[in-house]
Amino acid sequence: MDTLNNLLTDLSGFLWGWPMIILLLGTHLFLTIRLHFPQRHIFTAIRLSISHDRQSQGDVSQFGALATALAATIGTGNIIGVATAVALGGPGAVLWCWLTGFFGISTKYAEGLLAVKYRTKTADGRMVGGPMYALERGLGWKTMGVLFALFTAIASFGIGNTVQANAIATLTNETYSLSPYITGAVVALLAGAVVLGGIKSIARVCTALVPFMALFYIIGCIIILFMNGSYVWPALKLICSSAFSPQAAGGGFAGSTIMLAARYGIARGLFSNESGMGSAPIVAASAQTRNPVRQALVSSSGTFWDTVVICALTGLVIVSSVMAYPDITYENGATLTKMAFSKIPYIGAPLLTFGLLTFAFSTILGWEIYGERAVEYLKGKKWTRYYRILYVVAIFVGSIMNLGLVWNLSDCMNALMAIPNLLCLLFLSGVLVKETRTYLWQKMLDQDMDEE
């Protein structure tokens, strides 16, 4: 296991070197400029996300698709992931994480647009799509589509369930001394009960769970920031200055290089919001929507909530807590997060545990859809029943796995998914501009598209 972990660590370091950082941020910036800053339309996107297109083709509502995507993205990446970025890359990693989210709104918009543009209807009337279909139908890159689907199926057992289950089991064990075996069994049974109902069942649960859990967590962050009041502004300045300075960070932090801050900030940013990874478009393709741009806008709002709001709050909580409480150690992301929240009297630890539990459980549900659709693309619908069983079993196994191994595997799969997806977005940028001009720039958002 140590040998495998070291191998994955080296591979992760290679994949997340400067080439990936340039490709990811470059795509975010390119699409932001090419599509005339879709971030300008974020309030329109939020409005559309709570509207309904029931007369349109699709399996779930626009909000249901968004909630499912948010369920898959708002997880340990928002809590432990951000803390891990701070522990490994210093406070400057928070700004890189936030920038990845802000400019990633454009990429998430583009992914959602192509998902609906190139989706297809199955023999039993379901809508399926995602980067593998865009690669195959938009560019004729069947092999690349197969590779993306393969990486997605593998990633679903890393970022999708084992990471989440491990985080739940670790915290419940540390907080309540509950055996990881018991936690893993309970989480696996609960997830299995929902997963067996398919995408509509998962969407219903996520639609009810996501708004509640996000609001609950945000309130907890605000309480901590209020307690750390005199350190919030210094923490914000430290985050900004250390993101571009190789000098010692100060404020209770050890020094960190710009490369480390950028690497871990961008990696955890992608892990958090998944903009550029190509996962969220898989469920966006199932949305009831009149045209590709409407769902593209709805999809982009997910990155806004996930990173621009929630991850920013988490990062500010972590950095201000380290500055306010010198006794907090920050060598480990999970421990750092737990100690920061424990400063809330009486309810701090339960608040974190409940937040992590709901975030991680919803991520498990959302990623099941991604992996299942990838398996369906590769092997056909009949194989999805075996995937569901294996997925539920992996939840239990993940509860007792080595966390370092799981995180490194997840980072590798994230990068391997992102590469073909980002290339697809770049090569189909002309299609993105054409569809955006038709429906958004010419103010035709209510116009219906012709489904193929």
Side-chain angles (χ1 to χ4, degrees), residues 143-444:
T143 301
M144 196 69 83
V146 169
L147 287 175
F148 175 85
L150 178 62
F151 295 145
T152 302
I154 297 173
S156 69
F157 291 100
I159 184 177
N161 60 14
T162 53
V163 163
Q164 315 304 327
N166 190 282
I168 294 173
T170 299
L171 265 186
T172 52
N173 177 257
E174 292 179 354
T175 306
Y176 304 110
S177 299
L178 191 63
S179 169
Y181 291 90
I182 296 176
T183 303
V186 172
V187 174
L189 288 173
L190 290 174
V194 179
V195 163
L196 291 177
I199 187 172
K200 292 184 178 181
S201 173
I202 292 175
R204 282 195 300 269
V205 173
C206 292
T207 298
L209 186 61
V210 167
F212 170 73
M213 71 182 192
L215 180 62
F216 193 77
Y217 179 71
I218 289 173
I219 291 174
C221 288
I222 292 174
I223 292 174
I224 296 177
L225 292 178
F226 179 79
M227 294 173 59
N228 300 345
S230 60
Y231 292 92
V232 172
W233 180 246
L236 186 59
K237 291 194 295 183
L238 179 61
I239 288 171
C240 295
S241 63
S242 59
F244 303 102
S245 173
Q247 299 175 354
F253 292 92
S256 178
T257 65
I258 297 175
M259 180 60 189
L260 282 176
R263 178 197 165 188
Y264 287 108
I266 293 172
R268 297 309 175 200
L270 176 59
F271 186 91
S272 170
N273 62 57
E274 300 177 16
S275 292
M277 193 160 65
S279 51
I282 296 174
V283 70
S286 299
Q288 298 168 338
T289 185
R290 301 178 200 180
N291 57 65
V293 172
R294 286 178 70 94
Q295 184 55 39
L297 287 169
V298 172
S299 295
S300 71
S301 69
T303 299
F304 171 79
W305 292 118
D306 178 88
T307 304
V308 177
V309 176
I310 295 180
C311 278
L313 284 173
T314 302
L316 199 54
V317 162
I318 296 298
V319 176
S320 64
S321 294
V322 172
M323 297 177 70
Y325 306 101
D327 60 309
I328 288 183
T329 57
Y330 58 92
E331 288 80 6
N332 177 276
T335 302
L336 172 57
T337 307
K338 180 182 177 182
M339 293 186 71
F341 272 79
S342 68
K343 298 303 178 180
I344 302 179
Y346 306 111
I347 65 170
L351 178 68
L352 175 62
T353 303
F354 179 78
L356 183 62
L357 175 64
T358 53
F359 278 25
F361 182 71
S362 67
T363 299
I364 290 171
L365 297 180
W367 262 90
E368 194 282 333
I369 291 295
Y370 300 159
E372 181 177 319
R373 290 294 164 88
V375 169
E376 182 177 354
Y377 178 83
L378 291 170
K379 301 293 293 182
K381 191 174 187 302
K382 67 178 182 179
W383 283 83
T384 59
R385 70 186 69 174
Y386 305 115
Y387 169 82
R388 291 180 181 180
I389 296 173
L390 187 60
Y391 190 84
V392 172
V393 171
I395 294 172
F396 175 78
V397 175
S399 300
I400 55 176
M401 286 183 65
N402 177 273
L403 187 60
L405 175 65
V406 175
W407 277 106
N408 286 325
L409 176 64
S410 298
D411 277 348
C412 292
M413 290 301 103
N414 289 355
L416 292 174
M417 288 176 64
I419 292 171
N421 179 62
L422 293 172
L423 292 176
C424 180
L425 295 174
L426 293 173
F427 279 93
L428 289 176
S429 63
V431 175
L432 295 170
V433 171
K434 180 182 177 181
E435 296 293 323
T436 302
R437 178 183 296 112
T438 299
Y439 297 107
L440 183 59
W441 298 342
Q442 295 181 1
K443 303 185 186 302
M444 300 292 287

